[in-house]
Amino acid sequence: MKKYPKARSAGAGLIAIAAVATFAGVAGAKGGVPNQPVDPAAPIVPVAPVRPPDARQGAVIPATCDSGAAGRVGFNKSGSRVTLEVGVVGGAAAPGWHVTVTDTVAGVVAEADVADTADAWSALVNFQSPKGNRTIDVTFAAIDGSDSCSGSLSYKA
């Protein structure tokens, strides 16, 4: 076994201590605020991220109709695939309806026509949604102009 003088092993220990102190200094110098005293009586206030409220899967959002009928927009999504169920209950019979889905950023993302309707009807509209936080406006208008309904919702795709 090889023996080292004590001064040499003590020097290696000092180098190791200096390396740890240097590393701690570098880690502390990476940013942030210097250590400041914390008041233990101060309340902890959580900060929530800000984004539009996300429509739940299977949500039904009311749509406002000009005639006073009860309009609705049902919402479901899987990834970027969105299915909307639009409909009216208690409206007047119409020769058909035109449905327009408009993304507030991407513009019109879907359109559909519904044939002759009675006083209650519903239809499905499918589309691929752009990624990100989305807000869409859904309008459906009777082709003869007798009624118009609209609703809006927000979600993340």
Side-chain angles (χ1 to χ4, degrees):
M1 175 150 80
K2 191 173 183 183
K3 291 193 176 194
Y4 295 98
K6 285 190 177 194
R8 194 171 199 188
S9 61
L14 288 175
I15 291 172
I17 291 171
V20 169
T22 302
F23 177 73
V26 170
K30 284 190 176 183
V33 293
N35 290 337
Q36 296 181 5
V38 176
D39 180 7
I44 297 174
V45 180
V47 178
V50 177
R51 68 177 197 140
D54 204 12
R56 296 179 316 141
Q57 296 288 75
V60 176
I61 293 95
T64 305
C65 297
D66 292 340
S67 69
R72 70 183 178 282
V73 177
F75 167 77
N76 201 10
K77 72 178 171 71
S78 176
S80 64
R81 179 104 173 135
V82 176
T83 299
L84 299 177
E85 181 268 338
V86 296
V88 174
V89 174
W97 291 71
H98 183 73
V99 181
T100 305
V101 180
T102 306
D103 184 297
T104 55
V105 175
V108 174
V109 292
E111 290 185 282
D113 288 315
V114 179
D116 274 347
T117 62
D119 61 346
W121 63 271
S122 66
L124 294 178
V125 179
N126 295 307
F127 64 95
Q128 292 290 337
S129 179
K131 296 280 185 193
N133 292 329
R134 313 310 309 172
T135 298
I136 60 169
D137 298 317
V138 182
T139 57
F140 34 110
I143 292 172
D144 66 359
S146 62
D147 201 358
S148 177
C149 304
S150 62
S152 182
L153 62 104
S154 296
Y155 60 90
K156 182 176 181 178

PDB file of all heavy atoms in Angstrom, residues 99-140:
ATOM      1  N   VAL A  99     -75.861  26.249 -40.394  1.00  0.00           N
ATOM      2  CA  VAL A  99     -75.052  26.287 -39.170  1.00  0.00           C
ATOM      3  C   VAL A  99     -73.639  26.728 -39.535  1.00  0.00           C
ATOM      4  O   VAL A  99     -73.038  26.191 -40.481  1.00  0.00           O
ATOM      5  CB  VAL A  99     -75.004  24.895 -38.504  1.00  0.00           C
ATOM      6  CG1 VAL A  99     -74.173  24.955 -37.218  1.00  0.00           C
ATOM      7  CG2 VAL A  99     -76.402  24.370 -38.235  1.00  0.00           C
ATOM      8  N   THR A 100     -73.098  27.694 -38.809  1.00  0.00           N
ATOM      9  CA  THR A 100     -71.731  28.170 -39.028  1.00  0.00           C
ATOM     10  C   THR A 100     -70.984  28.138 -37.698  1.00  0.00           C
ATOM     11  O   THR A 100     -71.469  28.670 -36.691  1.00  0.00           O
ATOM     12  CB  THR A 100     -71.721  29.614 -39.573  1.00  0.00           C
ATOM     13  OG1 THR A 100     -72.519  29.665 -40.751  1.00  0.00           O
ATOM     14  CG2 THR A 100     -70.308  30.062 -39.906  1.00  0.00           C
ATOM     15  N   VAL A 101     -69.787  27.505 -37.713  1.00  0.00           N
ATOM     16  CA  VAL A 101     -68.926  27.439 -36.531  1.00  0.00           C
ATOM     17  C   VAL A 101     -67.698  28.291 -36.824  1.00  0.00           C
ATOM     18  O   VAL A 101     -66.959  28.014 -37.770  1.00  0.00           O
ATOM     19  CB  VAL A 101     -68.514  25.983 -36.212  1.00  0.00           C
ATOM     20  CG1 VAL A 101     -67.631  25.949 -34.976  1.00  0.00           C
ATOM     21  CG2 VAL A 101     -69.742  25.101 -36.050  1.00  0.00           C
ATOM     22  N   THR A 102     -67.492  29.342 -36.028  1.00  0.00           N
ATOM     23  CA  THR A 102     -66.401  30.278 -36.260  1.00  0.00           C
ATOM     24  C   THR A 102     -65.452  30.287 -35.074  1.00  0.00           C
ATOM     25  O   THR A 102     -65.871  30.521 -33.934  1.00  0.00           O
ATOM     26  CB  THR A 102     -66.948  31.708 -36.480  1.00  0.00           C
ATOM     27  OG1 THR A 102     -67.921  31.666 -37.520  1.00  0.00           O
ATOM     28  CG2 THR A 102     -65.834  32.663 -36.863  1.00  0.00           C
ATOM     29  N   ASP A 103     -64.170  30.007 -35.340  1.00  0.00           N
ATOM     30  CA  ASP A 103     -63.119  30.116 -34.334  1.00  0.00           C
ATOM     31  C   ASP A 103     -62.697  31.576 -34.322  1.00  0.00           C
ATOM     32  O   ASP A 103     -62.475  32.177 -35.375  1.00  0.00           O
ATOM     33  CB  ASP A 103     -61.944  29.205 -34.726  1.00  0.00           C
ATOM     34  CG  ASP A 103     -60.848  29.194 -33.688  1.00  0.00           C
ATOM     35  OD1 ASP A 103     -60.254  30.266 -33.443  1.00  0.00           O
ATOM     36  OD2 ASP A 103     -60.553  28.117 -33.149  1.00  0.00           O
ATOM     37  N   THR A 104     -62.594  32.188 -33.134  1.00  0.00           N
ATOM     38  CA  THR A 104     -62.288  33.618 -33.067  1.00  0.00           C
ATOM     39  C   THR A 104     -60.902  33.954 -33.625  1.00  0.00           C
ATOM     40  O   THR A 104     -60.645  35.103 -33.946  1.00  0.00           O
ATOM     41  CB  THR A 104     -62.411  34.152 -31.628  1.00  0.00           C
ATOM     42  OG1 THR A 104     -61.571  33.372 -30.780  1.00  0.00           O
ATOM     43  CG2 THR A 104     -63.847  34.076 -31.142  1.00  0.00           C
ATOM     44  N   VAL A 105     -60.017  32.945 -33.766  1.00  0.00           N
ATOM     45  CA  VAL A 105     -58.694  33.185 -34.331  1.00  0.00           C
ATOM     46  C   VAL A 105     -58.599  32.646 -35.764  1.00  0.00           C
ATOM     47  O   VAL A 105     -58.152  33.330 -36.672  1.00  0.00           O
ATOM     48  CB  VAL A 105     -57.590  32.542 -33.452  1.00  0.00           C
ATOM     49  CG1 VAL A 105     -56.227  32.684 -34.094  1.00  0.00           C
ATOM     50  CG2 VAL A 105     -57.594  33.158 -32.068  1.00  0.00           C
ATOM     51  N   ALA A 106     -59.053  31.406 -35.969  1.00  0.00           N
ATOM     52  CA  ALA A 106     -58.883  30.730 -37.264  1.00  0.00           C
ATOM     53  C   ALA A 106     -59.993  31.025 -38.259  1.00  0.00           C
ATOM     54  O   ALA A 106     -59.895  30.637 -39.424  1.00  0.00           O
ATOM     55  CB  ALA A 106     -58.778  29.218 -37.050  1.00  0.00           C
ATOM     56  N   GLY A 107     -61.061  31.686 -37.858  1.00  0.00           N
ATOM     57  CA  GLY A 107     -62.173  31.973 -38.769  1.00  0.00           C
ATOM     58  C   GLY A 107     -63.162  30.815 -38.819  1.00  0.00           C
ATOM     59  O   GLY A 107     -63.254  30.017 -37.890  1.00  0.00           O
ATOM     60  N   VAL A 108     -63.885  30.692 -39.929  1.00  0.00           N
ATOM     61  CA  VAL A 108     -64.903  29.645 -40.073  1.00  0.00           C
ATOM     62  C   VAL A 108     -64.210  28.286 -40.151  1.00  0.00           C
ATOM     63  O   VAL A 108     -63.352  28.066 -40.994  1.00  0.00           O
ATOM     64  CB  VAL A 108     -65.774  29.890 -41.321  1.00  0.00           C
ATOM     65  CG1 VAL A 108     -66.736  28.731 -41.543  1.00  0.00           C
ATOM     66  CG2 VAL A 108     -66.538  31.197 -41.188  1.00  0.00           C
ATOM     67  N   VAL A 109     -64.567  27.372 -39.221  1.00  0.00           N
ATOM     68  CA  VAL A 109     -63.967  26.040 -39.200  1.00  0.00           C
ATOM     69  C   VAL A 109     -64.950  24.961 -39.639  1.00  0.00           C
ATOM     70  O   VAL A 109     -64.545  23.846 -39.943  1.00  0.00           O
ATOM     71  CB  VAL A 109     -63.371  25.689 -37.814  1.00  0.00           C
ATOM     72  CG1 VAL A 109     -62.155  26.549 -37.518  1.00  0.00           C
ATOM     73  CG2 VAL A 109     -64.412  25.813 -36.709  1.00  0.00           C
ATOM     74  N   ALA A 110     -66.263  25.272 -39.690  1.00  0.00           N
ATOM     75  CA  ALA A 110     -67.249  24.291 -40.146  1.00  0.00           C
ATOM     76  C   ALA A 110     -68.539  24.997 -40.538  1.00  0.00           C
ATOM     77  O   ALA A 110     -68.896  26.025 -39.962  1.00  0.00           O
ATOM     78  CB  ALA A 110     -67.535  23.260 -39.053  1.00  0.00           C
ATOM     79  N   GLU A 111     -69.211  24.424 -41.541  1.00  0.00           N
ATOM     80  CA  GLU A 111     -70.536  24.877 -41.957  1.00  0.00           C
ATOM     81  C   GLU A 111     -71.360  23.642 -42.292  1.00  0.00           C
ATOM     82  O   GLU A 111     -70.806  22.643 -42.764  1.00  0.00           O
ATOM     83  CB  GLU A 111     -70.457  25.786 -43.181  1.00  0.00           C
ATOM     84  CG  GLU A 111     -69.837  27.133 -42.886  1.00  0.00           C
ATOM     85  CD  GLU A 111     -69.891  28.050 -44.101  1.00  0.00           C
ATOM     86  OE1 GLU A 111     -69.049  27.843 -44.992  1.00  0.00           O
ATOM     87  OE2 GLU A 111     -70.768  28.930 -44.141  1.00  0.00           O
ATOM     88  N   ALA A 112     -72.650  23.714 -42.036  1.00  0.00           N
ATOM     89  CA  ALA A 112     -73.531  22.600 -42.354  1.00  0.00           C
ATOM     90  C   ALA A 112     -74.927  23.131 -42.639  1.00  0.00           C
ATOM     91  O   ALA A 112     -75.313  24.184 -42.129  1.00  0.00           O
ATOM     92  CB  ALA A 112     -73.575  21.611 -41.194  1.00  0.00           C
ATOM     93  N   ASP A 113     -75.652  22.415 -43.461  1.00  0.00           N
ATOM     94  CA  ASP A 113     -77.047  22.747 -43.737  1.00  0.00           C
ATOM     95  C   ASP A 113     -77.926  21.641 -43.198  1.00  0.00           C
ATOM     96  O   ASP A 113     -77.598  20.453 -43.307  1.00  0.00           O
ATOM     97  CB  ASP A 113     -77.278  22.937 -45.233  1.00  0.00           C
ATOM     98  CG  ASP A 113     -76.660  24.224 -45.748  1.00  0.00           C
ATOM     99  OD1 ASP A 113     -76.824  25.268 -45.077  1.00  0.00           O
ATOM    100  OD2 ASP A 113     -76.006  24.186 -46.795  1.00  0.00           O
ATOM    101  N   VAL A 114     -79.056  22.025 -42.606  1.00  0.00           N
ATOM    102  CA  VAL A 114     -80.027  21.087 -42.073  1.00  0.00           C
ATOM    103  C   VAL A 114     -81.282  21.231 -42.923  1.00  0.00           C
ATOM    104  O   VAL A 114     -81.742  22.342 -43.169  1.00  0.00           O
ATOM    105  CB  VAL A 114     -80.339  21.407 -40.588  1.00  0.00           C
ATOM    106  CG1 VAL A 114     -81.360  20.449 -40.020  1.00  0.00           C
ATOM    107  CG2 VAL A 114     -79.060  21.416 -39.773  1.00  0.00           C
ATOM    108  N   ALA A 115     -81.818  20.103 -43.375  1.00  0.00           N
ATOM    109  CA  ALA A 115     -83.016  20.121 -44.232  1.00  0.00           C
ATOM    110  C   ALA A 115     -84.238  20.578 -43.439  1.00  0.00           C
ATOM    111  O   ALA A 115     -84.141  20.927 -42.265  1.00  0.00           O
ATOM    112  CB  ALA A 115     -83.233  18.734 -44.824  1.00  0.00           C
ATOM    113  N   ASP A 116     -85.411  20.532 -44.086  1.00  0.00           N
ATOM    114  CA  ASP A 116     -86.688  20.904 -43.444  1.00  0.00           C
ATOM    115  C   ASP A 116     -86.739  20.453 -41.993  1.00  0.00           C
ATOM    116  O   ASP A 116     -86.380  19.322 -41.677  1.00  0.00           O
ATOM    117  CB  ASP A 116     -87.863  20.235 -44.174  1.00  0.00           C
ATOM    118  CG  ASP A 116     -88.329  21.057 -45.362  1.00  0.00           C
ATOM    119  OD1 ASP A 116     -87.917  22.215 -45.464  1.00  0.00           O
ATOM    120  OD2 ASP A 116     -89.104  20.526 -46.174  1.00  0.00           O
ATOM    121  N   THR A 117     -87.189  21.343 -41.137  1.00  0.00           N
ATOM    122  CA  THR A 117     -87.277  21.000 -39.716  1.00  0.00           C
ATOM    123  C   THR A 117     -88.677  21.256 -39.189  1.00  0.00           C
ATOM    124  O   THR A 117     -89.403  22.119 -39.689  1.00  0.00           O
ATOM    125  CB  THR A 117     -86.289  21.822 -38.878  1.00  0.00           C
ATOM    126  OG1 THR A 117     -86.618  23.214 -38.997  1.00  0.00           O
ATOM    127  CG2 THR A 117     -84.860  21.581 -39.308  1.00  0.00           C
ATOM    128  N   ALA A 118     -89.013  20.516 -38.156  1.00  0.00           N
ATOM    129  CA  ALA A 118     -90.257  20.758 -37.422  1.00  0.00           C
ATOM    130  C   ALA A 118     -89.951  21.793 -36.343  1.00  0.00           C
ATOM    131  O   ALA A 118     -88.942  22.499 -36.425  1.00  0.00           O
ATOM    132  CB  ALA A 118     -90.759  19.448 -36.826  1.00  0.00           C
ATOM    133  N   ASP A 119     -90.778  21.872 -35.296  1.00  0.00           N
ATOM    134  CA  ASP A 119     -90.534  22.859 -34.245  1.00  0.00           C
ATOM    135  C   ASP A 119     -89.440  22.432 -33.280  1.00  0.00           C
ATOM    136  O   ASP A 119     -89.033  23.196 -32.422  1.00  0.00           O
ATOM    137  CB  ASP A 119     -91.831  23.174 -33.492  1.00  0.00           C
ATOM    138  CG  ASP A 119     -92.409  21.954 -32.804  1.00  0.00           C
ATOM    139  OD1 ASP A 119     -91.969  20.830 -33.116  1.00  0.00           O
ATOM    140  OD2 ASP A 119     -93.293  22.125 -31.947  1.00  0.00           O
ATOM    141  N   ALA A 120     -88.946  21.193 -33.407  1.00  0.00           N
ATOM    142  CA  ALA A 120     -87.821  20.720 -32.593  1.00  0.00           C
ATOM    143  C   ALA A 120     -86.896  19.917 -33.510  1.00  0.00           C
ATOM    144  O   ALA A 120     -87.350  19.050 -34.249  1.00  0.00           O
ATOM    145  CB  ALA A 120     -88.313  19.860 -31.444  1.00  0.00           C
ATOM    146  N   TRP A 121     -85.598  20.209 -33.472  1.00  0.00           N
ATOM    147  CA  TRP A 121     -84.643  19.502 -34.328  1.00  0.00           C
ATOM    148  C   TRP A 121     -83.259  19.551 -33.715  1.00  0.00           C
ATOM    149  O   TRP A 121     -82.977  20.358 -32.830  1.00  0.00           O
ATOM    150  CB  TRP A 121     -84.608  20.096 -35.736  1.00  0.00           C
ATOM    151  CG  TRP A 121     -84.127  21.527 -35.763  1.00  0.00           C
ATOM    152  CD1 TRP A 121     -84.894  22.642 -35.639  1.00  0.00           C
ATOM    153  CD2 TRP A 121     -82.781  21.976 -35.904  1.00  0.00           C
ATOM    154  NE1 TRP A 121     -84.110  23.768 -35.681  1.00  0.00           N
ATOM    155  CE2 TRP A 121     -82.799  23.383 -35.850  1.00  0.00           C
ATOM    156  CE3 TRP A 121     -81.553  21.339 -36.059  1.00  0.00           C
ATOM    157  CZ2 TRP A 121     -81.641  24.153 -35.948  1.00  0.00           C
ATOM    158  CZ3 TRP A 121     -80.412  22.111 -36.159  1.00  0.00           C
ATOM    159  CH2 TRP A 121     -80.465  23.505 -36.109  1.00  0.00           C
ATOM    160  N   SER A 122     -82.382  18.683 -34.175  1.00  0.00           N
ATOM    161  CA  SER A 122     -80.974  18.730 -33.786  1.00  0.00           C
ATOM    162  C   SER A 122     -80.145  18.143 -34.923  1.00  0.00           C
ATOM    163  O   SER A 122     -80.642  17.390 -35.754  1.00  0.00           O
ATOM    164  CB  SER A 122     -80.720  17.972 -32.483  1.00  0.00           C
ATOM    165  OG  SER A 122     -80.942  16.598 -32.662  1.00  0.00           O
ATOM    166  N   ALA A 123     -78.873  18.522 -34.944  1.00  0.00           N
ATOM    167  CA  ALA A 123     -77.952  18.044 -35.973  1.00  0.00           C
ATOM    168  C   ALA A 123     -76.548  17.988 -35.382  1.00  0.00           C
ATOM    169  O   ALA A 123     -76.236  18.713 -34.433  1.00  0.00           O
ATOM    170  CB  ALA A 123     -77.974  18.975 -37.179  1.00  0.00           C
ATOM    171  N   LEU A 124     -75.688  17.125 -35.955  1.00  0.00           N
ATOM    172  CA  LEU A 124     -74.297  17.020 -35.521  1.00  0.00           C
ATOM    173  C   LEU A 124     -73.402  17.723 -36.526  1.00  0.00           C
ATOM    174  O   LEU A 124     -73.601  17.621 -37.731  1.00  0.00           O
ATOM    175  CB  LEU A 124     -73.867  15.558 -35.416  1.00  0.00           C
ATOM    176  CG  LEU A 124     -74.559  14.732 -34.344  1.00  0.00           C
ATOM    177  CD1 LEU A 124     -74.072  13.291 -34.402  1.00  0.00           C
ATOM    178  CD2 LEU A 124     -74.318  15.310 -32.962  1.00  0.00           C
ATOM    179  N   VAL A 125     -72.400  18.424 -36.016  1.00  0.00           N
ATOM    180  CA  VAL A 125     -71.390  19.077 -36.850  1.00  0.00           C
ATOM    181  C   VAL A 125     -70.030  18.645 -36.312  1.00  0.00           C
ATOM    182  O   VAL A 125     -69.740  18.835 -35.134  1.00  0.00           O
ATOM    183  CB  VAL A 125     -71.517  20.621 -36.784  1.00  0.00           C
ATOM    184  CG1 VAL A 125     -70.448  21.277 -37.627  1.00  0.00           C
ATOM    185  CG2 VAL A 125     -72.904  21.069 -37.208  1.00  0.00           C
ATOM    186  N   ASN A 126     -69.200  18.052 -37.169  1.00  0.00           N
ATOM    187  CA  ASN A 126     -67.855  17.603 -36.783  1.00  0.00           C
ATOM    188  C   ASN A 126     -66.814  18.463 -37.472  1.00  0.00           C
ATOM    189  O   ASN A 126     -66.998  18.860 -38.635  1.00  0.00           O
ATOM    190  CB  ASN A 126     -67.629  16.145 -37.198  1.00  0.00           C
ATOM    191  CG  ASN A 126     -68.544  15.208 -36.459  1.00  0.00           C
ATOM    192  OD1 ASN A 126     -68.607  15.221 -35.243  1.00  0.00           O
ATOM    193  ND2 ASN A 126     -69.290  14.395 -37.198  1.00  0.00           N
ATOM    194  N   PHE A 127     -65.693  18.722 -36.783  1.00  0.00           N
ATOM    195  CA  PHE A 127     -64.582  19.449 -37.404  1.00  0.00           C
ATOM    196  C   PHE A 127     -63.295  19.191 -36.642  1.00  0.00           C
ATOM    197  O   PHE A 127     -63.318  18.757 -35.491  1.00  0.00           O
ATOM    198  CB  PHE A 127     -64.874  20.954 -37.502  1.00  0.00           C
ATOM    199  CG  PHE A 127     -65.021  21.668 -36.184  1.00  0.00           C
ATOM    200  CD1 PHE A 127     -63.942  22.319 -35.599  1.00  0.00           C
ATOM    201  CD2 PHE A 127     -66.241  21.701 -35.531  1.00  0.00           C
ATOM    202  CE1 PHE A 127     -64.070  22.984 -34.392  1.00  0.00           C
ATOM    203  CE2 PHE A 127     -66.387  22.358 -34.318  1.00  0.00           C
ATOM    204  CZ  PHE A 127     -65.300  23.001 -33.751  1.00  0.00           C
ATOM    205  N   GLN A 128     -62.173  19.435 -37.320  1.00  0.00           N
ATOM    206  CA  GLN A 128     -60.846  19.364 -36.699  1.00  0.00           C
ATOM    207  C   GLN A 128     -60.535  20.749 -36.156  1.00  0.00           C
ATOM    208  O   GLN A 128     -60.543  21.726 -36.900  1.00  0.00           O
ATOM    209  CB  GLN A 128     -59.768  18.966 -37.721  1.00  0.00           C
ATOM    210  CG  GLN A 128     -59.895  17.551 -38.214  1.00  0.00           C
ATOM    211  CD  GLN A 128     -59.551  16.522 -37.148  1.00  0.00           C
ATOM    212  OE1 GLN A 128     -58.846  16.796 -36.187  1.00  0.00           O
ATOM    213  NE2 GLN A 128     -60.084  15.330 -37.305  1.00  0.00           N
ATOM    214  N   SER A 129     -60.241  20.823 -34.880  1.00  0.00           N
ATOM    215  CA  SER A 129     -59.976  22.101 -34.244  1.00  0.00           C
ATOM    216  C   SER A 129     -58.487  22.425 -34.289  1.00  0.00           C
ATOM    217  O   SER A 129     -57.658  21.548 -34.074  1.00  0.00           O
ATOM    218  CB  SER A 129     -60.433  22.054 -32.787  1.00  0.00           C
ATOM    219  OG  SER A 129     -60.150  23.275 -32.153  1.00  0.00           O
ATOM    220  N   PRO A 130     -58.138  23.683 -34.539  1.00  0.00           N
ATOM    221  CA  PRO A 130     -56.737  24.083 -34.398  1.00  0.00           C
ATOM    222  C   PRO A 130     -56.291  23.879 -32.952  1.00  0.00           C
ATOM    223  O   PRO A 130     -57.105  23.921 -32.030  1.00  0.00           O
ATOM    224  CB  PRO A 130     -56.750  25.569 -34.766  1.00  0.00           C
ATOM    225  CG  PRO A 130     -58.006  25.780 -35.549  1.00  0.00           C
ATOM    226  CD  PRO A 130     -58.988  24.785 -34.998  1.00  0.00           C
ATOM    227  N   LYS A 131     -55.004  23.655 -32.752  1.00  0.00           N
ATOM    228  CA  LYS A 131     -54.448  23.439 -31.408  1.00  0.00           C
ATOM    229  C   LYS A 131     -54.468  24.730 -30.599  1.00  0.00           C
ATOM    230  O   LYS A 131     -54.446  25.825 -31.147  1.00  0.00           O
ATOM    231  CB  LYS A 131     -52.993  22.947 -31.496  1.00  0.00           C
ATOM    232  CG  LYS A 131     -52.850  21.604 -32.150  1.00  0.00           C
ATOM    233  CD  LYS A 131     -53.172  20.523 -31.180  1.00  0.00           C
ATOM    234  CE  LYS A 131     -52.895  19.173 -31.809  1.00  0.00           C
ATOM    235  NZ  LYS A 131     -53.450  18.107 -31.059  1.00  0.00           N
ATOM    236  N   GLY A 132     -54.504  24.564 -29.274  1.00  0.00           N
ATOM    237  CA  GLY A 132     -54.402  25.705 -28.371  1.00  0.00           C
ATOM    238  C   GLY A 132     -55.710  26.005 -27.675  1.00  0.00           C
ATOM    239  O   GLY A 132     -56.687  25.253 -27.760  1.00  0.00           O
ATOM    240  N   ASN A 133     -55.744  27.126 -26.966  1.00  0.00           N
ATOM    241  CA  ASN A 133     -56.966  27.591 -26.315  1.00  0.00           C
ATOM    242  C   ASN A 133     -57.860  28.190 -27.383  1.00  0.00           C
ATOM    243  O   ASN A 133     -57.451  29.109 -28.094  1.00  0.00           O
ATOM    244  CB  ASN A 133     -56.647  28.635 -25.239  1.00  0.00           C
ATOM    245  CG  ASN A 133     -55.904  28.038 -24.070  1.00  0.00           C
ATOM    246  OD1 ASN A 133     -56.089  26.878 -23.730  1.00  0.00           O
ATOM    247  ND2 ASN A 133     -55.047  28.828 -23.450  1.00  0.00           N
ATOM    248  N   ARG A 134     -59.075  27.684 -27.512  1.00  0.00           N
ATOM    249  CA  ARG A 134     -59.978  28.100 -28.574  1.00  0.00           C
ATOM    250  C   ARG A 134     -61.250  28.698 -27.991  1.00  0.00           C
ATOM    251  O   ARG A 134     -61.735  28.244 -26.942  1.00  0.00           O
ATOM    252  CB  ARG A 134     -60.408  26.915 -29.461  1.00  0.00           C
ATOM    253  CG  ARG A 134     -59.334  25.987 -29.934  1.00  0.00           C
ATOM    254  CD  ARG A 134     -58.132  26.585 -30.567  1.00  0.00           C
ATOM    255  NE  ARG A 134     -58.336  27.530 -31.615  1.00  0.00           N
ATOM    256  CZ  ARG A 134     -57.321  28.234 -32.143  1.00  0.00           C
ATOM    257  NH1 ARG A 134     -56.100  28.069 -31.716  1.00  0.00           N
ATOM    258  NH2 ARG A 134     -57.545  29.086 -33.100  1.00  0.00           N
ATOM    259  N   THR A 135     -61.797  29.666 -28.667  1.00  0.00           N
ATOM    260  CA  THR A 135     -63.131  30.181 -28.390  1.00  0.00           C
ATOM    261  C   THR A 135     -63.864  30.130 -29.713  1.00  0.00           C
ATOM    262  O   THR A 135     -63.373  30.648 -30.723  1.00  0.00           O
ATOM    263  CB  THR A 135     -63.087  31.626 -27.854  1.00  0.00           C
ATOM    264  OG1 THR A 135     -62.360  31.626 -26.624  1.00  0.00           O
ATOM    265  CG2 THR A 135     -64.486  32.153 -27.615  1.00  0.00           C
ATOM    266  N   ILE A 136     -65.025  29.467 -29.713  1.00  0.00           N
ATOM    267  CA  ILE A 136     -65.795  29.369 -30.952  1.00  0.00           C
ATOM    268  C   ILE A 136     -67.187  29.944 -30.746  1.00  0.00           C
ATOM    269  O   ILE A 136     -67.751  29.900 -29.649  1.00  0.00           O
ATOM    270  CB  ILE A 136     -65.887  27.918 -31.483  1.00  0.00           C
ATOM    271  CG1 ILE A 136     -66.570  26.994 -30.479  1.00  0.00           C
ATOM    272  CG2 ILE A 136     -64.529  27.380 -31.852  1.00  0.00           C
ATOM    273  CD1 ILE A 136     -66.912  25.640 -31.058  1.00  0.00           C
ATOM    274  N   ASP A 137     -67.701  30.511 -31.815  1.00  0.00           N
ATOM    275  CA  ASP A 137     -69.064  31.022 -31.851  1.00  0.00           C
ATOM    276  C   ASP A 137     -69.839  30.140 -32.822  1.00  0.00           C
ATOM    277  O   ASP A 137     -69.369  29.864 -33.928  1.00  0.00           O
ATOM    278  CB  ASP A 137     -69.085  32.474 -32.334  1.00  0.00           C
ATOM    279  CG  ASP A 137     -68.329  33.393 -31.393  1.00  0.00           C
ATOM    280  OD1 ASP A 137     -68.486  33.252 -30.167  1.00  0.00           O
ATOM    281  OD2 ASP A 137     -67.563  34.245 -31.886  1.00  0.00           O
ATOM    282  N   VAL A 138     -71.018  29.698 -32.405  1.00  0.00           N
ATOM    283  CA  VAL A 138     -71.860  28.847 -33.235  1.00  0.00           C
ATOM    284  C   VAL A 138     -73.140  29.621 -33.521  1.00  0.00           C
ATOM    285  O   VAL A 138     -73.818  30.080 -32.601  1.00  0.00           O
ATOM    286  CB  VAL A 138     -72.195  27.518 -32.517  1.00  0.00           C
ATOM    287  CG1 VAL A 138     -73.022  26.623 -33.418  1.00  0.00           C
ATOM    288  CG2 VAL A 138     -70.924  26.813 -32.069  1.00  0.00           C
ATOM    289  N   THR A 139     -73.442  29.800 -34.803  1.00  0.00           N
ATOM    290  CA  THR A 139     -74.692  30.453 -35.188  1.00  0.00           C
ATOM    291  C   THR A 139     -75.455  29.507 -36.098  1.00  0.00           C
ATOM    292  O   THR A 139     -74.863  28.803 -36.916  1.00  0.00           O
ATOM    293  CB  THR A 139     -74.458  31.796 -35.922  1.00  0.00           C
ATOM    294  OG1 THR A 139     -73.653  31.569 -37.061  1.00  0.00           O
ATOM    295  CG2 THR A 139     -73.777  32.800 -35.023  1.00  0.00           C
ATOM    296  N   PHE A 140     -76.750  29.457 -35.920  1.00  0.00           N
ATOM    297  CA  PHE A 140     -77.595  28.688 -36.827  1.00  0.00           C
ATOM    298  C   PHE A 140     -78.830  29.518 -37.117  1.00  0.00           C
ATOM    299  O   PHE A 140     -79.482  30.031 -36.215  1.00  0.00           O
ATOM    300  CB  PHE A 140     -77.914  27.276 -36.327  1.00  0.00           C
ATOM    301  CG  PHE A 140     -78.075  27.090 -34.848  1.00  0.00           C
ATOM    302  CD1 PHE A 140     -79.332  26.827 -34.305  1.00  0.00           C
ATOM    303  CD2 PHE A 140     -76.989  27.138 -33.992  1.00  0.00           C
ATOM    304  CE1 PHE A 140     -79.490  26.609 -32.940  1.00  0.00           C
ATOM    305  CE2 PHE A 140     -77.138  26.929 -32.634  1.00  0.00           C
ATOM    306  CZ  PHE A 140     -78.399  26.664 -32.105  1.00  0.00           C
TER     307      PHE A 140
END
